[in-house]
PDB file of all heavy atoms in Angstrom:
ATOM      1  N   VAL A   1      14.413   0.710  -4.163  1.00 97.00           N
ATOM      2  CA  VAL A   1      14.424  -0.584  -3.310  1.00 97.00           C
ATOM      3  C   VAL A   1      15.455  -1.562  -3.800  1.00 97.00           C
ATOM      4  O   VAL A   1      15.609  -2.670  -3.252  1.00 97.00           O
ATOM      5  CB  VAL A   1      12.980  -1.273  -3.337  1.00 97.00           C
ATOM      6  CG1 VAL A   1      11.879  -0.338  -2.792  1.00 97.00           C
ATOM      7  CG2 VAL A   1      12.553  -1.687  -4.871  1.00 97.00           C
ATOM      8  N   ARG A   2      16.214  -1.180  -4.833  1.00 98.00           N
ATOM      9  CA  ARG A   2      17.466  -2.039  -5.196  1.00 98.00           C
ATOM     10  C   ARG A   2      18.809  -1.402  -4.577  1.00 98.00           C
ATOM     11  O   ARG A   2      19.905  -1.974  -4.885  1.00 98.00           O
ATOM     12  CB  ARG A   2      17.590  -2.002  -6.753  1.00 98.00           C
ATOM     13  CG  ARG A   2      16.375  -2.848  -7.387  1.00 98.00           C
ATOM     14  CD  ARG A   2      16.443  -4.327  -7.143  1.00 98.00           C
ATOM     15  NE  ARG A   2      15.979  -4.586  -5.739  1.00 98.00           N
ATOM     16  CZ  ARG A   2      16.220  -5.841  -5.121  1.00 98.00           C
ATOM     17  NH1 ARG A   2      16.920  -6.704  -5.703  1.00 98.00           N
ATOM     18  NH2 ARG A   2      15.667  -6.019  -3.992  1.00 98.00           N
ATOM     19  N   PHE A   3      18.663  -0.358  -3.799  1.00 98.00           N
ATOM     20  CA  PHE A   3      19.852   0.129  -3.004  1.00 98.00           C
ATOM     21  C   PHE A   3      20.061  -0.612  -1.750  1.00 98.00           C
ATOM     22  O   PHE A   3      19.048  -1.082  -1.155  1.00 98.00           O
ATOM     23  CB  PHE A   3      19.695   1.609  -2.814  1.00 98.00           C
ATOM     24  CG  PHE A   3      19.673   2.489  -4.042  1.00 98.00           C
ATOM     25  CD1 PHE A   3      18.978   3.757  -4.105  1.00 98.00           C
ATOM     26  CD2 PHE A   3      20.482   2.170  -5.175  1.00 98.00           C
ATOM     27  CE1 PHE A   3      18.934   4.509  -5.186  1.00 98.00           C
ATOM     28  CE2 PHE A   3      20.384   2.970  -6.266  1.00 98.00           C
ATOM     29  CZ  PHE A   3      19.691   4.094  -6.272  1.00 98.00           C
ATOM     30  N   SER A   4      21.154  -0.628  -1.218  1.00 97.00           N
ATOM     31  CA  SER A   4      21.575  -1.415  -0.035  1.00 97.00           C
ATOM     32  C   SER A   4      20.591  -1.075   1.116  1.00 97.00           C
ATOM     33  O   SER A   4      20.280  -2.007   1.913  1.00 97.00           O
ATOM     34  CB  SER A   4      22.978  -1.394   0.239  1.00 97.00           C
ATOM     35  OG  SER A   4      23.452  -0.050   0.469  1.00 97.00           O
ATOM     36  N   PRO A   5      20.312   0.242   1.455  1.00 97.00           N
ATOM     37  CA  PRO A   5      19.516   0.498   2.699  1.00 97.00           C
ATOM     38  C   PRO A   5      18.251  -0.149   2.641  1.00 97.00           C
ATOM     39  O   PRO A   5      17.677  -0.375   3.746  1.00 97.00           O
ATOM     40  CB  PRO A   5      19.447   2.065   2.606  1.00 97.00           C
ATOM     41  CG  PRO A   5      20.611   2.504   1.795  1.00 97.00           C
ATOM     42  CD  PRO A   5      20.826   1.475   0.779  1.00 97.00           C
ATOM     43  N   TRP A   6      17.612  -0.440   1.522  1.00 97.00           N
ATOM     44  CA  TRP A   6      16.278  -1.040   1.511  1.00 97.00           C
ATOM     45  C   TRP A   6      16.428  -2.597   1.405  1.00 97.00           C
ATOM     46  O   TRP A   6      15.680  -3.286   2.009  1.00 97.00           O
ATOM     47  CB  TRP A   6      15.513  -0.483   0.310  1.00 97.00           C
ATOM     48  CG  TRP A   6      14.977   0.868   0.783  1.00 97.00           C
ATOM     49  CD1 TRP A   6      13.850   1.114   1.283  1.00 97.00           C
ATOM     50  CD2 TRP A   6      15.778   2.130   0.662  1.00 97.00           C
ATOM     51  NE1 TRP A   6      13.730   2.475   1.545  1.00 97.00           N
ATOM     52  CE2 TRP A   6      14.858   3.131   1.165  1.00 97.00           C
ATOM     53  CE3 TRP A   6      16.949   2.430   0.117  1.00 97.00           C
ATOM     54  CZ2 TRP A   6      15.277   4.415   1.348  1.00 97.00           C
ATOM     55  CZ3 TRP A   6      17.320   3.808   0.290  1.00 97.00           C
ATOM     56  CH2 TRP A   6      16.462   4.768   0.825  1.00 97.00           C
ATOM     57  N   ILE A   7      17.485  -3.065   0.683  1.00 97.00           N
ATOM     58  CA  ILE A   7      17.675  -4.524   0.661  1.00 97.00           C
ATOM     59  C   ILE A   7      18.069  -5.059   2.017  1.00 97.00           C
ATOM     60  O   ILE A   7      17.678  -6.124   2.401  1.00 97.00           O
ATOM     61  CB  ILE A   7      18.779  -4.821  -0.352  1.00 97.00           C
ATOM     62  CG1 ILE A   7      18.282  -4.535  -1.710  1.00 97.00           C
ATOM     63  CG2 ILE A   7      19.139  -6.337  -0.364  1.00 97.00           C
ATOM     64  CD1 ILE A   7      19.414  -4.605  -2.823  1.00 97.00           C
ATOM     65  N   GLU A   8      18.884  -4.315   2.819  1.00 97.00           N
ATOM     66  CA  GLU A   8      19.460  -4.833   4.031  1.00 97.00           C
ATOM     67  C   GLU A   8      18.652  -4.327   5.230  1.00 97.00           C
ATOM     68  O   GLU A   8      19.030  -4.764   6.388  1.00 97.00           O
ATOM     69  CB  GLU A   8      20.933  -4.473   4.221  1.00 97.00           C
ATOM     70  CG  GLU A   8      21.870  -4.835   3.052  1.00 97.00           C
ATOM     71  CD  GLU A   8      21.876  -6.289   3.040  1.00 97.00           C
ATOM     72  OE1 GLU A   8      21.677  -7.024   4.002  1.00 97.00           O
ATOM     73  OE2 GLU A   8      22.114  -6.767   1.881  1.00 97.00           O
ATOM     74  N   HIS A   9      17.623  -3.693   5.095  1.00 96.00           N
ATOM     75  CA  HIS A   9      16.822  -3.162   6.274  1.00 96.00           C
ATOM     76  C   HIS A   9      16.189  -4.264   6.992  1.00 96.00           C
ATOM     77  O   HIS A   9      15.707  -5.240   6.399  1.00 96.00           O
ATOM     78  CB  HIS A   9      15.658  -2.277   5.709  1.00 96.00           C
ATOM     79  CG  HIS A   9      15.029  -1.467   6.861  1.00 96.00           C
ATOM     80  ND1 HIS A   9      14.085  -2.018   7.722  1.00 96.00           N
ATOM     81  CD2 HIS A   9      15.180  -0.190   7.255  1.00 96.00           C
ATOM     82  CE1 HIS A   9      13.752  -1.111   8.520  1.00 96.00           C
ATOM     83  NE2 HIS A   9      14.380   0.037   8.394  1.00 96.00           N
ATOM     84  N   PRO A  10      16.355  -4.331   8.302  1.00 95.00           N
ATOM     85  CA  PRO A  10      15.874  -5.485   9.165  1.00 95.00           C
ATOM     86  C   PRO A  10      14.509  -5.826   8.965  1.00 95.00           C
ATOM     87  O   PRO A  10      14.033  -6.912   9.147  1.00 95.00           O
ATOM     88  CB  PRO A  10      16.217  -5.112  10.597  1.00 95.00           C
ATOM     89  CG  PRO A  10      17.358  -4.116  10.478  1.00 95.00           C
ATOM     90  CD  PRO A  10      17.026  -3.307   9.188  1.00 95.00           C
ATOM     91  N   VAL A  11      13.596  -4.769   8.651  1.00 92.00           N
ATOM     92  CA  VAL A  11      12.148  -5.038   8.493  1.00 92.00           C
ATOM     93  C   VAL A  11      11.825  -4.906   6.965  1.00 92.00           C
ATOM     94  O   VAL A  11      11.314  -5.874   6.377  1.00 92.00           O
ATOM     95  CB  VAL A  11      11.329  -3.940   9.199  1.00 92.00           C
ATOM     96  CG1 VAL A  11       9.883  -4.182   8.933  1.00 92.00           C
ATOM     97  CG2 VAL A  11      11.622  -4.137  10.759  1.00 92.00           C
ATOM     98  N   HIS A  12      12.190  -3.881   6.351  1.00 92.00           N
ATOM     99  CA  HIS A  12      11.705  -3.640   4.977  1.00 92.00           C
ATOM    100  C   HIS A  12      12.501  -4.311   3.910  1.00 92.00           C
ATOM    101  O   HIS A  12      12.218  -4.117   2.641  1.00 92.00           O
ATOM    102  CB  HIS A  12      11.652  -2.173   4.670  1.00 92.00           C
ATOM    103  CG  HIS A  12      10.647  -1.352   5.621  1.00 92.00           C
ATOM    104  ND1 HIS A  12       9.325  -1.629   5.607  1.00 92.00           N
ATOM    105  CD2 HIS A  12      10.873  -0.432   6.458  1.00 92.00           C
ATOM    106  CE1 HIS A  12       8.727  -0.995   6.541  1.00 92.00           C
ATOM    107  NE2 HIS A  12       9.627  -0.088   7.091  1.00 92.00           N
ATOM    108  N   GLY A  13      13.508  -5.059   4.318  1.00 93.00           N
ATOM    109  CA  GLY A  13      14.240  -5.934   3.337  1.00 93.00           C
ATOM    110  C   GLY A  13      13.345  -7.147   3.100  1.00 93.00           C
ATOM    111  O   GLY A  13      13.659  -7.847   2.100  1.00 93.00           O
ATOM    112  N   HIS A  14      12.495  -7.538   3.906  1.00 93.00           N
ATOM    113  CA  HIS A  14      11.520  -8.633   3.755  1.00 93.00           C
ATOM    114  C   HIS A  14      12.311  -9.987   3.520  1.00 93.00           C
ATOM    115  O   HIS A  14      11.695 -10.935   3.009  1.00 93.00           O
ATOM    116  CB  HIS A  14      10.707  -8.407   2.527  1.00 93.00           C
ATOM    117  CG  HIS A  14       9.866  -7.092   2.657  1.00 93.00           C
ATOM    118  ND1 HIS A  14       8.863  -6.867   3.482  1.00 93.00           N
ATOM    119  CD2 HIS A  14       9.964  -6.035   1.850  1.00 93.00           C
ATOM    120  CE1 HIS A  14       8.385  -5.741   3.348  1.00 93.00           C
ATOM    121  NE2 HIS A  14       9.094  -5.056   2.333  1.00 93.00           N
ATOM    122  N   LYS A  15      13.487 -10.112   4.016  1.00 95.00           N
ATOM    123  CA  LYS A  15      14.264 -11.343   3.784  1.00 95.00           C
ATOM    124  C   LYS A  15      13.664 -12.555   4.375  1.00 95.00           C
ATOM    125  O   LYS A  15      13.513 -13.691   3.681  1.00 95.00           O
ATOM    126  CB  LYS A  15      15.693 -11.196   4.235  1.00 95.00           C
ATOM    127  CG  LYS A  15      16.523 -10.148   3.455  1.00 95.00           C
ATOM    128  CD  LYS A  15      17.958 -10.158   3.941  1.00 95.00           C
ATOM    129  CE  LYS A  15      18.753  -9.238   3.025  1.00 95.00           C
ATOM    130  NZ  LYS A  15      20.247  -9.269   3.410  1.00 95.00           N
ATOM    131  N   ARG A  16      13.179 -12.470   5.633  1.00 92.00           N
ATOM    132  CA  ARG A  16      12.560 -13.698   6.160  1.00 92.00           C
ATOM    133  C   ARG A  16      11.311 -14.086   5.542  1.00 92.00           C
ATOM    134  O   ARG A  16      10.922 -15.252   5.373  1.00 92.00           O
ATOM    135  CB  ARG A  16      12.391 -13.487   7.747  1.00 92.00           C
ATOM    136  CG  ARG A  16      13.714 -13.489   8.525  1.00 92.00           C
ATOM    137  CD  ARG A  16      13.550 -13.119   9.958  1.00 92.00           C
ATOM    138  NE  ARG A  16      12.943 -11.765  10.033  1.00 92.00           N
ATOM    139  CZ  ARG A  16      12.746 -11.107  11.228  1.00 92.00           C
ATOM    140  NH1 ARG A  16      12.951 -11.811  12.446  1.00 92.00           N
ATOM    141  NH2 ARG A  16      12.314  -9.867  11.327  1.00 92.00           N
ATOM    142  N   ALA A  17      10.446 -13.039   5.175  1.00 92.00           N
ATOM    143  CA  ALA A  17       9.249 -13.309   4.479  1.00 92.00           C
ATOM    144  C   ALA A  17       9.434 -13.940   3.154  1.00 92.00           C
ATOM    145  O   ALA A  17       8.711 -14.861   2.781  1.00 92.00           O
ATOM    146  CB  ALA A  17       8.408 -12.063   4.412  1.00 92.00           C
ATOM    147  N   ILE A  18      10.402 -13.438   2.480  1.00 95.00           N
ATOM    148  CA  ILE A  18      10.696 -14.041   1.102  1.00 95.00           C
ATOM    149  C   ILE A  18      11.042 -15.472   1.258  1.00 95.00           C
ATOM    150  O   ILE A  18      10.553 -16.374   0.476  1.00 95.00           O
ATOM    151  CB  ILE A  18      11.908 -13.297   0.539  1.00 95.00           C
ATOM    152  CG1 ILE A  18      11.429 -11.842   0.061  1.00 95.00           C
ATOM    153  CG2 ILE A  18      12.438 -13.939  -0.793  1.00 95.00           C
ATOM    154  CD1 ILE A  18      12.513 -10.867  -0.275  1.00 95.00           C
ATOM    155  N   GLN A  19      11.900 -15.814   2.148  1.00 94.00           N
ATOM    156  CA  GLN A  19      12.253 -17.203   2.380  1.00 94.00           C
ATOM    157  C   GLN A  19      11.124 -18.013   2.715  1.00 94.00           C
ATOM    158  O   GLN A  19      10.920 -19.152   2.313  1.00 94.00           O
ATOM    159  CB  GLN A  19      13.360 -17.307   3.401  1.00 94.00           C
ATOM    160  CG  GLN A  19      13.816 -18.769   3.763  1.00 94.00           C
ATOM    161  CD  GLN A  19      14.899 -18.826   4.795  1.00 94.00           C
ATOM    162  OE1 GLN A  19      15.428 -17.812   5.295  1.00 94.00           O
ATOM    163  NE2 GLN A  19      15.175 -19.996   5.280  1.00 94.00           N
ATOM    164  N   LYS A  20      10.223 -17.592   3.593  1.00 93.00           N
ATOM    165  CA  LYS A  20       9.053 -18.257   4.042  1.00 93.00           C
ATOM    166  C   LYS A  20       8.026 -18.498   2.815  1.00 93.00           C
ATOM    167  O   LYS A  20       7.561 -19.590   2.697  1.00 93.00           O
ATOM    168  CB  LYS A  20       8.435 -17.527   5.107  1.00 93.00           C
ATOM    169  CG  LYS A  20       7.260 -18.270   5.836  1.00 93.00           C
ATOM    170  CD  LYS A  20       7.863 -19.435   6.745  1.00 93.00           C
ATOM    171  CE  LYS A  20       6.787 -20.138   7.537  1.00 93.00           C
ATOM    172  NZ  LYS A  20       7.296 -21.168   8.398  1.00 93.00           N
ATOM    173  N   ILE A  21       7.832 -17.464   2.073  1.00 93.00           N
ATOM    174  CA  ILE A  21       6.880 -17.644   1.041  1.00 93.00           C
ATOM    175  C   ILE A  21       7.393 -18.633  -0.020  1.00 93.00           C
ATOM    176  O   ILE A  21       6.652 -19.363  -0.569  1.00 93.00           O
ATOM    177  CB  ILE A  21       6.735 -16.193   0.331  1.00 93.00           C
ATOM    178  CG1 ILE A  21       6.004 -15.255   1.281  1.00 93.00           C
ATOM    179  CG2 ILE A  21       5.919 -16.380  -0.972  1.00 93.00           C
ATOM    180  CD1 ILE A  21       6.041 -13.822   0.928  1.00 93.00           C
ATOM    181  N   ARG A  22       8.672 -18.662  -0.322  1.00 94.00           N
ATOM    182  CA  ARG A  22       9.241 -19.605  -1.218  1.00 94.00           C
ATOM    183  C   ARG A  22       9.007 -21.128  -0.702  1.00 94.00           C
ATOM    184  O   ARG A  22       9.066 -21.974  -1.595  1.00 94.00           O
ATOM    185  CB  ARG A  22      10.711 -19.374  -1.469  1.00 94.00           C
ATOM    186  CG  ARG A  22      10.942 -18.034  -2.216  1.00 94.00           C
ATOM    187  CD  ARG A  22      12.481 -17.905  -2.604  1.00 94.00           C
ATOM    188  NE  ARG A  22      12.738 -16.613  -3.160  1.00 94.00           N
ATOM    189  CZ  ARG A  22      12.430 -16.308  -4.395  1.00 94.00           C
ATOM    190  NH1 ARG A  22      11.924 -17.094  -5.300  1.00 94.00           N
ATOM    191  NH2 ARG A  22      12.822 -15.058  -4.876  1.00 94.00           N
ATOM    192  N   GLU A  23       8.839 -21.293   0.588  1.00 90.00           N
ATOM    193  CA  GLU A  23       8.669 -22.605   1.024  1.00 90.00           C
ATOM    194  C   GLU A  23       7.341 -23.136   0.922  1.00 90.00           C
ATOM    195  O   GLU A  23       6.978 -24.313   1.126  1.00 90.00           O
ATOM    196  CB  GLU A  23       9.092 -22.653   2.564  1.00 90.00           C
ATOM    197  CG  GLU A  23      10.572 -22.322   2.825  1.00 90.00           C
ATOM    198  CD  GLU A  23      10.823 -22.186   4.314  1.00 90.00           C
ATOM    199  OE1 GLU A  23       9.856 -22.187   5.116  1.00 90.00           O
ATOM    200  OE2 GLU A  23      12.055 -22.041   4.600  1.00 90.00           O
ATOM    201  N   PHE A  24       6.311 -22.284   0.728  1.00 88.00           N
ATOM    202  CA  PHE A  24       4.841 -22.759   0.641  1.00 88.00           C
ATOM    203  C   PHE A  24       4.539 -23.540  -0.640  1.00 88.00           C
ATOM    204  O   PHE A  24       5.032 -23.391  -1.682  1.00 88.00           O
ATOM    205  CB  PHE A  24       3.963 -21.519   0.647  1.00 88.00           C
ATOM    206  CG  PHE A  24       4.027 -20.707   1.974  1.00 88.00           C
ATOM    207  CD1 PHE A  24       4.180 -19.314   1.904  1.00 88.00           C
ATOM    208  CD2 PHE A  24       4.058 -21.312   3.175  1.00 88.00           C
ATOM    209  CE1 PHE A  24       4.078 -18.563   3.108  1.00 88.00           C
ATOM    210  CE2 PHE A  24       4.072 -20.595   4.366  1.00 88.00           C
ATOM    211  CZ  PHE A  24       4.161 -19.261   4.358  1.00 88.00           C
ATOM    212  N   ASP A  25       3.803 -24.525  -0.354  1.00 84.00           N
ATOM    213  CA  ASP A  25       3.196 -25.391  -1.499  1.00 84.00           C
ATOM    214  C   ASP A  25       1.889 -24.742  -1.948  1.00 84.00           C
ATOM    215  O   ASP A  25       0.897 -24.841  -1.231  1.00 84.00           O
ATOM    216  CB  ASP A  25       3.050 -26.814  -0.967  1.00 84.00           C
ATOM    217  CG  ASP A  25       2.450 -27.743  -2.037  1.00 84.00           C
ATOM    218  OD1 ASP A  25       2.194 -27.277  -3.141  1.00 84.00           O
ATOM    219  OD2 ASP A  25       2.280 -28.925  -1.782  1.00 84.00           O
ATOM    220  N   PRO A  26       1.888 -24.239  -3.104  1.00 84.00           N
ATOM    221  CA  PRO A  26       0.586 -23.524  -3.555  1.00 84.00           C
ATOM    222  C   PRO A  26      -0.556 -24.403  -3.743  1.00 84.00           C
ATOM    223  O   PRO A  26      -1.751 -23.933  -3.746  1.00 84.00           O
ATOM    224  CB  PRO A  26       1.024 -22.814  -4.877  1.00 84.00           C
ATOM    225  CG  PRO A  26       2.182 -23.579  -5.372  1.00 84.00           C
ATOM    226  CD  PRO A  26       2.918 -24.083  -4.060  1.00 84.00           C
ATOM    227  N   SER A  27      -0.314 -25.717  -3.826  1.00 82.00           N
ATOM    228  CA  SER A  27      -1.466 -26.583  -3.963  1.00 82.00           C
ATOM    229  C   SER A  27      -2.183 -26.900  -2.711  1.00 82.00           C
ATOM    230  O   SER A  27      -3.273 -27.362  -2.774  1.00 82.00           O
ATOM    231  CB  SER A  27      -0.974 -27.910  -4.588  1.00 82.00           C
ATOM    232  OG  SER A  27      -0.077 -28.615  -3.579  1.00 82.00           O
ATOM    233  N   ARG A  28      -1.577 -26.557  -1.578  1.00 82.00           N
ATOM    234  CA  ARG A  28      -2.290 -26.787  -0.324  1.00 82.00           C
ATOM    235  C   ARG A  28      -3.188 -25.638  -0.018  1.00 82.00           C
ATOM    236  O   ARG A  28      -3.132 -24.502  -0.491  1.00 82.00           O
ATOM    237  CB  ARG A  28      -1.235 -26.903   0.845  1.00 82.00           C
ATOM    238  CG  ARG A  28      -0.228 -27.993   0.627  1.00 82.00           C
ATOM    239  CD  ARG A  28       0.629 -28.189   1.908  1.00 82.00           C
ATOM    240  NE  ARG A  28      -0.216 -28.657   2.993  1.00 82.00           N
ATOM    241  CZ  ARG A  28       0.283 -28.890   4.223  1.00 82.00           C
ATOM    242  NH1 ARG A  28       1.554 -28.493   4.545  1.00 82.00           N
ATOM    243  NH2 ARG A  28      -0.502 -29.318   5.169  1.00 82.00           N
ATOM    244  N   PRO A  29      -4.159 -25.872   0.929  1.00 75.00           N
ATOM    245  CA  PRO A  29      -5.191 -24.759   1.159  1.00 75.00           C
ATOM    246  C   PRO A  29      -4.430 -23.538   1.753  1.00 75.00           C
ATOM    247  O   PRO A  29      -3.432 -23.633   2.481  1.00 75.00           O
ATOM    248  CB  PRO A  29      -6.061 -25.464   2.257  1.00 75.00           C
ATOM    249  CG  PRO A  29      -5.972 -26.922   1.983  1.00 75.00           C
ATOM    250  CD  PRO A  29      -4.507 -27.052   1.511  1.00 75.00           C
ATOM    251  N   SER A  30      -5.026 -22.384   1.497  1.00 69.00           N
ATOM    252  CA  SER A  30      -4.302 -21.152   1.846  1.00 69.00           C
ATOM    253  C   SER A  30      -4.137 -20.996   3.368  1.00 69.00           C
ATOM    254  O   SER A  30      -3.231 -20.227   3.804  1.00 69.00           O
ATOM    255  CB  SER A  30      -5.021 -19.949   1.245  1.00 69.00           C
ATOM    256  OG  SER A  30      -6.358 -19.894   1.711  1.00 69.00           O
ATOM    257  N   TRP A  31      -5.045 -21.628   4.193  1.00 71.00           N
ATOM    258  CA  TRP A  31      -4.991 -21.434   5.575  1.00 71.00           C
ATOM    259  C   TRP A  31      -3.681 -22.022   6.227  1.00 71.00           C
ATOM    260  O   TRP A  31      -3.353 -21.768   7.336  1.00 71.00           O
ATOM    261  CB  TRP A  31      -6.181 -21.986   6.275  1.00 71.00           C
ATOM    262  CG  TRP A  31      -6.571 -23.441   6.149  1.00 71.00           C
ATOM    263  CD1 TRP A  31      -7.321 -23.958   5.258  1.00 71.00           C
ATOM    264  CD2 TRP A  31      -6.011 -24.503   6.909  1.00 71.00           C
ATOM    265  NE1 TRP A  31      -7.359 -25.398   5.292  1.00 71.00           N
ATOM    266  CE2 TRP A  31      -6.534 -25.703   6.378  1.00 71.00           C
ATOM    267  CE3 TRP A  31      -4.989 -24.617   8.014  1.00 71.00           C
ATOM    268  CZ2 TRP A  31      -6.289 -26.981   6.852  1.00 71.00           C
ATOM    269  CZ3 TRP A  31      -4.811 -25.862   8.496  1.00 71.00           C
ATOM    270  CH2 TRP A  31      -5.331 -26.996   7.947  1.00 71.00           C
ATOM    271  N   HIS A  32      -2.933 -22.801   5.444  1.00 75.00           N
ATOM    272  CA  HIS A  32      -1.619 -23.299   5.827  1.00 75.00           C
ATOM    273  C   HIS A  32      -0.549 -22.307   5.855  1.00 75.00           C
ATOM    274  O   HIS A  32       0.505 -22.474   6.416  1.00 75.00           O
ATOM    275  CB  HIS A  32      -1.182 -24.469   4.921  1.00 75.00           C
ATOM    276  CG  HIS A  32      -1.858 -25.759   5.208  1.00 75.00           C
ATOM    277  ND1 HIS A  32      -1.441 -26.712   6.120  1.00 75.00           N
ATOM    278  CD2 HIS A  32      -3.018 -26.289   4.552  1.00 75.00           C
ATOM    279  CE1 HIS A  32      -2.297 -27.666   6.114  1.00 75.00           C
ATOM    280  NE2 HIS A  32      -3.193 -27.458   5.254  1.00 75.00           N
ATOM    281  N   VAL A  33      -0.851 -21.076   5.131  1.00 73.00           N
ATOM    282  CA  VAL A  33       0.223 -20.145   4.988  1.00 73.00           C
ATOM    283  C   VAL A  33       0.140 -19.156   6.156  1.00 73.00           C
ATOM    284  O   VAL A  33      -0.668 -18.330   6.286  1.00 73.00           O
ATOM    285  CB  VAL A  33      -0.046 -19.351   3.691  1.00 73.00           C
ATOM    286  CG1 VAL A  33       0.960 -18.270   3.438  1.00 73.00           C
ATOM    287  CG2 VAL A  33      -0.146 -20.330   2.470  1.00 73.00           C
ATOM    288  N   HIS A  34       1.260 -19.312   6.929  1.00 70.00           N
ATOM    289  CA  HIS A  34       1.407 -18.414   8.094  1.00 70.00           C
ATOM    290  C   HIS A  34       2.928 -18.149   8.286  1.00 70.00           C
ATOM    291  O   HIS A  34       3.785 -19.037   7.932  1.00 70.00           O
ATOM    292  CB  HIS A  34       0.837 -19.034   9.415  1.00 70.00           C
ATOM    293  CG  HIS A  34      -0.651 -18.955   9.438  1.00 70.00           C
ATOM    294  ND1 HIS A  34      -1.403 -17.831   9.793  1.00 70.00           N
ATOM    295  CD2 HIS A  34      -1.588 -19.826   9.113  1.00 70.00           C
ATOM    296  CE1 HIS A  34      -2.563 -18.063   9.711  1.00 70.00           C
ATOM    297  NE2 HIS A  34      -2.777 -19.269   9.293  1.00 70.00           N
ATOM    298  N   GLY A  35       3.257 -17.113   8.930  1.00 72.00           N
ATOM    299  CA  GLY A  35       4.700 -16.798   9.288  1.00 72.00           C
ATOM    300  C   GLY A  35       4.721 -15.826  10.332  1.00 72.00           C
ATOM    301  O   GLY A  35       4.100 -14.709  10.259  1.00 72.00           O
ATOM    302  N   ALA A  36       5.499 -16.069  11.348  1.00 73.00           N
ATOM    303  CA  ALA A  36       5.693 -15.132  12.451  1.00 73.00           C
ATOM    304  C   ALA A  36       7.134 -15.042  12.749  1.00 73.00           C
ATOM    305  O   ALA A  36       7.940 -15.993  12.878  1.00 73.00           O
ATOM    306  CB  ALA A  36       5.040 -15.578  13.799  1.00 73.00           C
ATOM    307  N   PHE A  37       7.753 -13.832  12.819  1.00 72.00           N
ATOM    308  CA  PHE A  37       9.162 -13.556  13.005  1.00 72.00           C
ATOM    309  C   PHE A  37       9.365 -12.664  14.170  1.00 72.00           C
ATOM    310  O   PHE A  37       8.563 -11.871  14.473  1.00 72.00           O
ATOM    311  CB  PHE A  37       9.654 -12.904  11.755  1.00 72.00           C
ATOM    312  CG  PHE A  37       9.362 -13.534  10.446  1.00 72.00           C
ATOM    313  CD1 PHE A  37       8.589 -12.809   9.512  1.00 72.00           C
ATOM    314  CD2 PHE A  37       9.535 -14.891  10.207  1.00 72.00           C
ATOM    315  CE1 PHE A  37       8.213 -13.423   8.333  1.00 72.00           C
ATOM    316  CE2 PHE A  37       9.152 -15.450   9.032  1.00 72.00           C
ATOM    317  CZ  PHE A  37       8.489 -14.803   8.048  1.00 72.00           C
ATOM    318  N   ARG A  38      10.462 -12.775  14.809  1.00 79.00           N
ATOM    319  CA  ARG A  38      10.776 -11.961  15.994  1.00 79.00           C
ATOM    320  C   ARG A  38      11.062 -10.421  15.487  1.00 79.00           C
ATOM    321  O   ARG A  38      11.428 -10.263  14.412  1.00 79.00           O
ATOM    322  CB  ARG A  38      12.002 -12.496  16.745  1.00 79.00           C
ATOM    323  CG  ARG A  38      13.378 -12.182  15.903  1.00 79.00           C
ATOM    324  CD  ARG A  38      14.549 -12.538  16.809  1.00 79.00           C
ATOM    325  NE  ARG A  38      15.774 -12.351  16.111  1.00 79.00           N
ATOM    326  CZ  ARG A  38      16.383 -11.143  15.920  1.00 79.00           C
ATOM    327  NH1 ARG A  38      15.748 -10.073  16.454  1.00 79.00           N
ATOM    328  NH2 ARG A  38      17.552 -11.040  15.301  1.00 79.00           N
ATOM    329  N   THR A  39      10.740  -9.542  16.393  1.00 86.00           N
ATOM    330  CA  THR A  39      10.927  -8.150  16.076  1.00 86.00           C
ATOM    331  C   THR A  39      12.478  -7.886  16.128  1.00 86.00           C
ATOM    332  O   THR A  39      13.180  -8.267  16.970  1.00 86.00           O
ATOM    333  CB  THR A  39      10.166  -7.259  17.106  1.00 86.00           C
ATOM    334  OG1 THR A  39       8.748  -7.607  17.049  1.00 86.00           O
ATOM    335  CG2 THR A  39      10.404  -5.834  16.801  1.00 86.00           C
ATOM    336  N   PRO A  40      12.958  -7.247  15.047  1.00 89.00           N
ATOM    337  CA  PRO A  40      14.393  -6.814  15.058  1.00 89.00           C
ATOM    338  C   PRO A  40      14.738  -6.003  16.273  1.00 89.00           C
ATOM    339  O   PRO A  40      13.879  -5.112  16.769  1.00 89.00           O
ATOM    340  CB  PRO A  40      14.579  -6.039  13.804  1.00 89.00           C
ATOM    341  CG  PRO A  40      13.363  -6.445  12.950  1.00 89.00           C
ATOM    342  CD  PRO A  40      12.364  -6.775  13.836  1.00 89.00           C
TER     343      PRO A  40
END
């Protein structure tokens, strides 16, 4: 998963999810945590 085909994969690279998760405030209730992304 440290090779380019997995890092750059439109789905399995998880880039948008990673960015979204980093934006969450863990002190807030968990139901605030949502993320929806367009299909590649």
Side-chain angles (χ1 to χ4, degrees):
V1 296
R2 294 291 78 197
F3 292 148
S4 57
W6 282 267
I7 293 174
E8 301 299 333
H9 193 282
V11 176
H12 298 303
H14 305 290
K15 290 186 175 183
R16 291 174 295 182
I18 291 166
Q19 181 178 353
K20 190 72 174 178
I21 293 167
R22 292 190 186 280
E23 295 172 354
F24 295 136
D25 179 355
S27 67
R28 301 189 68 188
S30 58
W31 58 266
H32 284 272
V33 177
H34 286 278
F37 314 120
R38 71 169 180 84
T39 302

